[in-house]
Amino acid sequence: MSTQPKRVLVLGGTVYLSQTIARLAVERGHRVTVAARGTSGEPPAGAEFTAIDRSVPGGVDALRGKEFDAVFDVARIPAHVTPVLDALADRAGHWSFVSTISVYKHFHVVSDELHDPTAPDSTDPAIEVYGASKVACENLVRERLGDKALITRPGLIVGPGDRNDRLGYWPLRMAEGGEILAPAPRERLLQWIDVEDYATWLLDAADAGTSGTLDAIGHPIGMGAFLDGVGAALQEQGVIDAPPQLTWVPQEFLLEHGVNMWAGPDSLGMWVTTPEYDGHGSRPAGPAIAAGLRLSPLADTVARWWAANAAAPRLKAGLSRVKEGEVLAAFHGREPDPGLARLDRERRFAVPAPETPDYEG
């Protein structure tokens, strides 16, 4: 990989994946420009900030005439992609566009069939057209950049800064102890990509000039192996002194009692149902690994999340202790524990509604 400082532009750069890309690029000694509205967060120390607003005419004029060795974009609105392409496509050495596995039309099987794209000038932000919008964004980037473009399709991105906390629910819940609701079956496959691994790979790929379209995802593992791994990581760090006490509850029972998938209120992070999502957690990781993606062990991902959040956690997904207790009580045929309301009041984290789509970077 090149060790020469590069001119790097991160479109966004103030939230989660894009912020991690910008931070790691600064740490590598690159000259980093973060271009955003500046309303969602702060750019990392050492990066230059340029104010842009893709939603208004002339909103990216501050980028015109500039040249960059590498550009990184996480946009999901097609109409927001064209202005930056018009301003920079001919002045960029490499272009990395972060898409999503939501571009795939089917999740019940592993399939490469894509959603039909939205119109290239679409401004629709609805989650219902998220995958179709990303297809349109991909097409715009390919048409303008050709073999200078790398398009990656992440699955669930987890780690510090995740505004949906798919992973984060589990270490914090395990740290609290007691009986823990777990979604059966144990064999249900899931996948993720660590935000640090992903950002590192994208920077390496820009150095190497990697192009094409690749899924950005780790190897699939069962829900049981995942939860066992989270528990083992917490034991290694001395957070807990025994394996978590997991009670495996069938998905039909969970759904009947109002437990949600994915993220947000009353959800179990990382969990989706079978068979509707059997293909969602089974996509091949091999092509990305062959292209340089290096995957952290689960223990390292948990350790990074814990180090970033444990001192003052503010969880954004998961079951309240009251809700979990009600479901477990119904499963066991007993009365709920009234003391769980006190535990909820004492918790150091909150559970607001999700702020971004499931794959947003």
Side-chain angles (χ1 to χ4, degrees):
M1 301 299 172
S2 171
T3 58
Q4 295 297 316
K6 291 189 172 184
R7 298 162 297 178
V8 171
L9 172 67
V10 182
L11 294 159
T14 61
V15 175
Y16 200 29
L17 173 63
S18 62
Q19 186 181 60
T20 305
I21 295 169
R23 173 176 59 80
L24 293 179
V26 169
E27 291 176 3
R28 292 185 180 203
H30 297 318
R31 289 174 286 168
V32 180
T33 299
V34 165
R37 289 181 301 169
T39 59
S40 299
E42 296 294 327
E48 175 187 337
F49 178 76
T50 297
I52 65 169
D53 186 346
R54 305 194 206 199
S55 67
V56 300
V60 301
D61 284 350
L63 298 175
R64 294 190 182 279
K66 296 187 177 182
E67 296 186 0
F68 296 96
D69 300 300
V71 175
F72 300 88
D73 192 10
V74 299
R76 65 186 184 97
I77 305 296
H80 293 178
V81 172
T82 298
V84 294
L85 289 172
D86 288 344
L88 295 171
D90 297 333
R91 295 174 172 270
H94 185 270
W95 199 285
S96 183
F97 180 72
V98 174
S99 186
T100 169
I101 63 170
S102 283
V103 297
Y104 297 118
K105 192 172 185 177
H106 304 292
F107 275 161
H108 67 287
V109 293
V110 176
S111 168
D112 290 336
E113 184 179 357
L114 303 179
H115 287 287
D116 293 332
T118 59
D121 59 352
S122 171
T123 59
D124 189 350
I127 188 62
E128 290 78 12
V129 296
Y130 177 52
S133 294
K134 282 286 198 178
V135 175
C137 294
E138 288 187 7
N139 292 342
L140 290 168
V141 171
R142 283 193 202 93
E143 290 166 4
R144 293 294 295 273
L145 275 301
D147 60 6
K148 292 197 299 181
L150 172 65
I151 295 170
T152 53
R153 296 168 174 167
L156 300 179
I157 308 172
V158 305
D162 179 6
R163 296 190 294 178
N164 290 295
D165 266 331
R166 276 77 50 128
L167 172 77
Y169 171 76
W170 294 107
L172 277 174
R173 177 61 190 89
M174 290 179 183
E176 291 177 340
E179 184 184 15
I180 300 171
L181 178 66
R186 288 179 56 93
E187 298 77 23
R188 176 74 184 89
L189 294 178
L190 66 150
Q191 291 175 289
W192 66 87
I193 186 167
D194 183 299
V195 66
E196 294 268 342
D197 295 347
Y198 191 15
T200 297
W201 178 44
L202 293 179
L203 288 166
D204 289 345
D207 282 344
T210 304
S211 62
T213 303
L214 294 164
D215 286 349
I217 197 69
H219 295 295
I221 70 169
M223 178 63 79
F226 168 72
L227 294 184
D228 289 345
V230 174
L234 296 176
Q235 283 185 268
E236 289 175 10
Q237 296 171 65
V239 177
I240 59 176
D241 56 13
Q245 181 187 344
L246 302 175
T247 295
W248 292 90
V249 177
Q251 68 176 34
E252 293 76 16
F253 194 90
L254 297 176
L255 294 172
E256 289 170 4
H257 287 79
V259 178
N260 297 320
M261 300 186 297
W262 299 115
D266 293 339
S267 72
L268 287 175
M270 312 290 289
W271 171 58
V272 292
T273 55
T274 181
E276 297 88 351
Y277 288 89
D278 281 353
H280 175 269
S282 308
R283 298 202 64 83
I289 292 171
L293 172 62
R294 296 185 297 277
L295 299 171
S296 293
L298 175 57
D300 291 353
T301 295
V302 172
R304 284 196 286 265
W305 190 92
W306 188 261
N309 291 278
R314 186 169 176 78
L315 196 62
K316 308 165 197 69
L319 295 180
S320 68
R321 292 300 299 272
V322 167
K323 179 67 175 180
E324 182 191 35
E326 289 172 348
V327 177
L328 285 171
F331 182 66
H332 292 302
R334 67 191 184 203
E335 290 298 314
D337 180 356
L340 293 175
R342 175 184 56 80
L343 292 179
D344 268 334
R345 289 193 298 270
E346 293 175 354
R347 275 181 160 187
R348 295 176 296 163
F349 54 94
V351 186
E355 298 177 36
T356 60
D358 284 319
Y359 308 96
E360 183 84 344

